[in-house]
Amino acid sequence: MSSEVMYALDQANEIVAFMNEYPSTFREGDENNGQALMFMFALFKCQEEARLMNRNSEILLADIIRYMVRHRLFFETRGLIVEVDGSYQIRRGKTFVFYKKDDSTIITDPSKSDKEKGMIILERISPNVLGKNRYHTLAHRIIRCLNPDIKRCERRYTLVNLCQTRKITKKEIRAYCRGRWGSLWHEENKEERKMEALRVIGGQ
């Protein structure tokens, strides 16, 4: 295993620890959205550093991207980070895969400067994580741009809705739904019923 992969794997373990520290923040499938997870984790770490130095914890986009480049945070999490019995862990034996552009692994390419790597990452994540039509709900729920109407290089970001309460398991959600709507609960309004289960169980 190369030193680049070993370092990135250490980062993946830190992401897992972060997810387990804020369990109710995450929903089924969030572990597969690597781009949003790594942007979110980089923003979290930048905010930690800012608070330690008594600086503004609303972080510039450029600083988040620099953190991602510096810490090799641009790899595939699908199948690498898995949920087991209500907590997240690294799947043993899973091949580690960095995101690529053409035949180049963006984050480890020695022919590219850190600035070039940052520009490629920004280009890749802009529609998926930062754009108005973000396709995955994790980015919508947790990542907030505080000044979206100004030019991109001056935009600042923060995290919202981080929650350290106990994670509600799939088993609990299914048990609630079966008790409320019967064994065929999933055949109609499945997502709405799951959301009700989360609200009711979480409020107990």
Side-chain angles (χ1 to χ4, degrees):
M1 186 181 295
S2 71
S3 60
E4 295 282 3
V5 170
M6 289 178 66
Y7 184 87
L9 190 55
D10 285 342
Q11 295 299 301
N13 276 294
E14 285 200 39
I15 292 172
V16 165
F18 165 67
M19 294 175 76
N20 287 327
E21 185 178 354
Y22 295 92
S24 293
T25 301
F26 299 97
R27 298 178 185 170
E28 182 178 353
D30 283 344
E31 69 275 14
N32 297 324
N33 190 12
Q35 292 181 15
L37 267 180
M38 281 177 276
F39 184 91
M40 178 181 174
F41 178 70
L43 172 52
F44 176 79
K45 299 300 284 187
C46 287
Q47 288 186 312
E48 275 193 333
E49 291 176 5
R51 291 185 185 109
L52 285 172
M53 300 179 71
N54 293 317
R55 296 202 310 253
N56 188 349
S57 61
E58 299 169 357
I59 308 299
L60 280 168
L61 177 59
D63 291 334
I64 303 167
I65 298 300
R66 274 194 288 269
Y67 189 96
M68 292 177 71
V69 171
R70 190 165 69 246
H71 294 280
R72 321 290 195 275
L73 290 170
F74 209 57
F75 50 83
E76 179 63 67
T77 61
R78 184 180 296 275
L80 176 69
I81 297 176
V82 293
E83 184 183 2
V84 179
D85 297 328
S87 64
Y88 296 97
Q89 58 186 248
I90 299 296
R91 182 180 178 184
R92 292 184 180 180
K94 171 67 177 176
T95 301
F96 199 93
V97 179
F98 287 105
Y99 287 120
K100 290 186 176 183
K101 183 173 183 179
D102 301 323
D103 293 328
S104 167
T105 53
I106 298 164
I107 206 73
T108 63
D109 189 342
S111 70
K112 290 184 171 56
S113 68
D114 284 355
K115 183 176 180 179
E116 288 175 311
K117 292 174 184 178
M119 291 301 295
I120 295 170
I121 290 173
L122 188 56
E123 174 188 313
R124 184 72 65 86
I125 70 172
S126 286
N128 299 334
V129 179
L130 308 179
K132 291 182 179 179
N133 298 316
R134 296 171 288 189
Y135 73 92
H136 197 285
T137 60
L138 175 60
H140 281 287
R141 298 193 323 266
I142 311 300
I143 298 166
R144 182 71 46 81
C145 181
L146 299 168
N147 50 355
D149 297 324
I150 67 172
K151 57 185 180 181
R152 189 164 63 180
C153 64
E154 295 179 6
R155 290 177 191 167
R156 290 184 177 273
Y157 286 81
T158 191
L159 296 173
V160 296
N161 301 322
L162 288 183
C163 187
Q164 288 183 301
T165 57
R166 177 184 70 85
K167 184 175 179 62
I168 299 167
T169 67
K170 295 177 188 177
K171 185 177 180 180
E172 289 177 291
I173 293 170
R174 289 167 182 157
Y176 174 90
C177 291
R178 280 195 301 270
R180 178 90 161 77
W181 294 288
S183 60
L184 300 179
W185 65 271
H186 55 280
E187 293 187 357
E188 185 178 349
N189 300 323
K190 179 180 177 181
E191 292 306 315
E192 290 84 351
R193 290 173 173 180
K194 285 167 66 177
M195 289 302 296
E196 178 180 320
L198 285 168
R199 287 195 301 271
V200 172
I201 298 169
Q204 290 177 353

